[in-house]
Amino acid sequence: MLKLKNVKSCFTPNSIQEAIDIHKKSGGKAVFVGGGLDITVFPNPAIEQLIFLDKLGLTYIRDDAGNIKIGATSTITDIAKAPVMQNYLKGKVKIALTELASELLRNQITMGGSIARHHFYSDIIPALYALKAKIMVSDGELVEEFFVDDFYRNDLKVLMETHIVVGVHLSKYDDSFQFGSKRFVRNATDIALLNMVILAQIEEDIIKDVSISVGSRPGPAYRFEQGEAFLRGKKLTKELAEDFESFTKSNVDVTKDMHLCKEYRQHIASIYAKEMLLDFIGGVR
């Protein structure tokens, strides 16, 4: 916060409508604050107003019929500790959450902030893609629902000028589904240099359906639809895992940056693809 030297006002609105009204009147000089991590790491000198979302009732994780509903100001720690997450997809989502960053950062990173900021290195967004999450946004009057794929087809800068991310809905999956998540980092608290998430429905050893996402590539996370088509309808075997390793290496959409070359990212992605399928074989036996 000390880096935001030009901040003149702080607001704690009591409603989403009030928060959006303040934001609109700021002329682009206000920012919504959930956990506050983003504005401390990436301080914008143009920001003059902070709009804290603490009083909007957006910190919750609810078990609601066929969905898990997560409020936007819920932190990664909140989500991982929620009772409904303990057995969600055999507890593997909880494990993935507890392996992100450090405990201090998990206490600050919020679901809404991760979605709205859309950082390319986010570990949350690839998981939301694979889980086929629904993103809920509000303009203060109406709540709109987007599948995550559709949400990121919007111009986020324009959408977030008049809306707030208020929550996420995750479908509850039965025991025929297997979940896997891998992230490549230099150390335990670093941002991911590549991450991959797979959700697969497997019945009688046949991959009935599958969703795969890749992030930190280093562009924005995306659905690896070619990989999904390659696996869908096939029998889950060690041979398939090896074939998928080769397929992923040749077809995954990654590139280079200052940290990794394109070829190394392809290599890591292919290894992760194989490892997760092998894990699924063990999970369905």
Side-chain angles (χ1 to χ4, degrees):
M1 295 292 187
L2 295 177
K3 296 179 181 179
L4 297 169
K5 298 178 181 179
N6 296 320
V7 172
K8 298 180 175 65
S9 306
C10 294
F11 300 90
T12 54
N14 293 301
S15 69
I16 293 172
Q17 185 65 70
E18 183 183 357
I20 290 174
D21 288 344
I22 295 169
H23 192 265
K24 287 179 179 178
K25 292 175 183 177
S26 74
K29 296 182 178 181
V31 63
F32 296 119
V33 182
L37 179 62
D38 195 79
I39 61 172
T40 57
V41 176
F42 304 105
N44 183 348
I47 297 302
E48 296 182 359
Q49 299 176 352
L50 303 180
I51 307 170
F52 291 87
L53 306 180
D54 306 58
K55 295 184 179 181
L56 302 187
L58 299 179
T59 302
Y60 59 84
I61 301 95
R62 298 172 183 152
D63 186 349
D64 185 9
N67 292 295
I68 297 173
K69 297 183 177 180
I70 302 172
T73 54
S74 302
T75 66
I76 301 306
T77 298
D78 292 333
I79 300 165
K81 289 184 176 181
V84 70
M85 298 301 294
Q86 305 311 301
N87 297 312
Y88 182 58
L89 287 167
K90 304 176 178 67
K92 290 185 177 180
V93 175
K94 174 190 173 179
I95 293 171
L97 291 174
T98 58
E99 292 176 346
L100 301 185
S102 67
E103 184 175 0
L104 289 175
L105 292 178
R106 291 194 295 272
N107 291 341
Q108 276 191 284
I109 300 169
T110 62
M111 179 61 77
S114 297
I115 293 167
R117 300 302 181 193
H118 196 206
H119 291 306
F120 292 174
Y121 56 78
S122 171
D123 292 288
I124 302 302
I125 294 173
L128 296 180
Y129 268 112
L131 293 169
K132 301 179 182 179
K134 295 177 182 178
I135 311 298
M136 319 303 291
V137 301
S138 174
D139 62 359
E141 295 183 2
L142 299 175
V143 176
E144 294 182 69
E145 177 182 286
F146 296 90
F147 277 105
V148 62
D149 307 62
D150 296 327
F151 179 77
Y152 286 117
R153 293 190 183 102
N154 286 287
D155 184 330
L156 285 194
K157 184 177 180 180
V158 173
L159 182 65
M160 292 297 98
E161 286 178 356
T162 56
H163 292 72
I164 293 177
V165 176
V166 294
V168 171
H169 292 179
L170 303 178
S171 295
K172 294 167 75 174
Y173 296 98
D174 62 36
D175 287 342
S176 67
F177 285 85
Q178 296 284 335
F179 177 86
S181 177
K182 299 280 188 180
R183 62 194 300 265
F184 180 73
V185 293
R186 292 170 294 189
N187 59 64
T189 61
D190 200 6
I191 62 173
L193 299 180
L194 184 95
N195 49 45
M196 177 179 282
V197 186
I198 302 178
L199 177 70
Q201 183 181 26
I202 303 165
E203 296 180 352
E204 297 181 349
D205 294 337
I206 302 298
I207 301 174
K208 295 291 187 179
D209 197 12
V210 61
S211 56
I212 308 170
S213 61
V214 182
S216 291
R217 55 193 187 90
Y222 86 112
R223 282 275 299 279
F224 183 27
E225 294 181 349
Q226 289 174 288
E228 295 172 0
F230 179 85
L231 292 176
R232 196 172 287 119
K234 292 183 178 177
K235 185 174 182 178
L236 179 61
T237 63
K238 291 182 179 179
E239 290 73 23
L240 178 63
E242 291 170 356
D243 290 345
F244 189 49
E245 177 183 19
S246 298
F247 181 88
T248 299
K249 191 170 186 177
S250 299
N251 292 278
V252 68
D253 186 4
V254 296
T255 187
K256 66 178 181 179
D257 63 4
M258 63 183 292
H259 302 295
L260 294 178
C261 65
K262 176 180 178 179
E263 291 75 17
Y264 196 48
R265 275 197 170 89
Q266 290 172 321
H267 176 65
I268 296 167
S270 67
I271 290 174
Y272 284 172
K274 176 182 177 180
E275 287 181 346
M276 281 188 276
L277 289 193
L278 292 176
D279 287 343
F280 293 168
I281 292 174
V284 298
R285 295 301 183 209

